[in-house]
Amino acid sequence: MAFAFRNLLLYGDTMNKKQFDKQSQLEGLMMAAPVIPVVIVDDPKKAVQMARALVAGGLPAIEVTLRTARALDCLSAIAADVEGAIPGAGTVLDAAQIAAVEKAGAKFMVSPGASSKLLNAADDGPLPLLPGTATASEMMELGERGYVHVKFFPASVAGGAPYLKALSSPLPRFKICPTGGVSLANAPDYLALPNVLCVGGSWVAPKKLIDEDDWGGIEKLAREASALKRG
Ligand code: 3PG
């Protein structure tokens, strides 16, 4: 983890051992594939089939958003039954959800933004958090708390790839996962940037294909996404 060690040297005052380990874990899962699928699913059986298709297509890290009544059950089912998956929880907004997703077997968490209460709770727990940011100031505040890996949300309307390119020179240490409005067509614009490790998106697991149990279709979308190149 040469990159993470370099950042530890630069920001050792803000990155304790626990945060260093969490940032290293985030780097690993953001480098596992160029795309982290963002999924909205409400049926654990479908969640398992969908996750198997995503993993088969080359996308192991999967963000299960806490936006359905049975999202936690879907997360636990993927954690228990899908070999090779790195299940994460998305739309994590508070301390209670952090405790719940940890219990459900999440390996990482994603939030659309970052409140002090959420960050404090994440500091106390074992799971790495990929917090949402949309401005230089938000990134700098996260940097002061030892964060290097962040989500850029909502990417397409917050400025898109040109905005992230502009941030890469003054804030080179941040390694970013743009999410929100990302597609197979525009993902290369983001992945070409030096400060982008991966993108997040729901296009690889669309509702229509989940409703139709079209796991082959999802695997095909995952395969296309996993073939995207960085740099
Ligand atoms: C999310 O809902 O967290 C992401 O913004 C997914 O956005 P997308 O549906 O535009 O990919």
Side-chain angles (χ1 to χ4, degrees), residues 54-102:
L54 291 170
V55 171
L59 303 180
I62 300 168
E63 177 189 334
V64 179
T65 58
L66 300 185
R67 297 186 203 166
T68 66
R70 301 200 66 198
L72 284 171
D73 294 331
C74 292
L75 183 59
S76 328
I78 293 171
D81 294 335
V82 183
E83 205 181 325
I86 309 170
T91 328
V92 174
L93 303 177
D94 59 33
Q97 288 181 325
I98 288 180
V101 304
E102 184 189 326

Side-chain angles (χ1 to χ4, degrees), residues 63-215:
E63 177 189 334
V64 179
T65 58
L66 300 185
R67 297 186 203 166
T68 66
R70 301 200 66 198
L72 284 171
D73 294 331
C74 292
L75 183 59
S76 328
I78 293 171
D81 294 335
V82 183
E83 205 181 325
I86 309 170
T91 328
V92 174
L93 303 177
D94 59 33
Q97 288 181 325
I98 288 180
V101 304
E102 184 189 326
K103 209 168 145 202
K107 298 281 186 259
F108 67 98
M109 306 181 290
V110 185
S111 58
S115 69
S116 300
K117 279 188 184 172
L118 181 76
L119 295 173
N120 290 342
D123 281 349
D124 290 343
L127 295 181
L129 170 69
L130 189 68
T133 64
T135 68
S137 294
E138 289 167 2
M139 287 184 196
M140 288 165 65
E141 287 202 4
L142 285 164
E144 289 173 6
R145 296 187 65 130
Y147 283 83
V148 173
H149 300 88
V150 298
K151 163 173 166 168
F152 176 54
F153 178 80
S156 62
V157 290
Y163 185 99
L164 283 184
K165 186 175 183 193
L167 288 177
S168 69
S169 178
L171 297 173
R173 78 184 195 261
F174 292 99
K175 297 300 159 185
I176 300 169
C177 174
T179 306
V182 182
S183 64
L184 185 69
N186 66 16
D189 298 340
Y190 292 103
L191 291 167
L193 302 175
N195 52 348
V196 169
L197 295 191
C198 66
V199 299
S202 63
W203 89 88
V204 287
K207 182 176 183 320
K208 181 169 182 294
L209 297 191
I210 296 173
D211 287 348
E212 292 170 358
D213 292 339
D214 186 352
W215 314 123

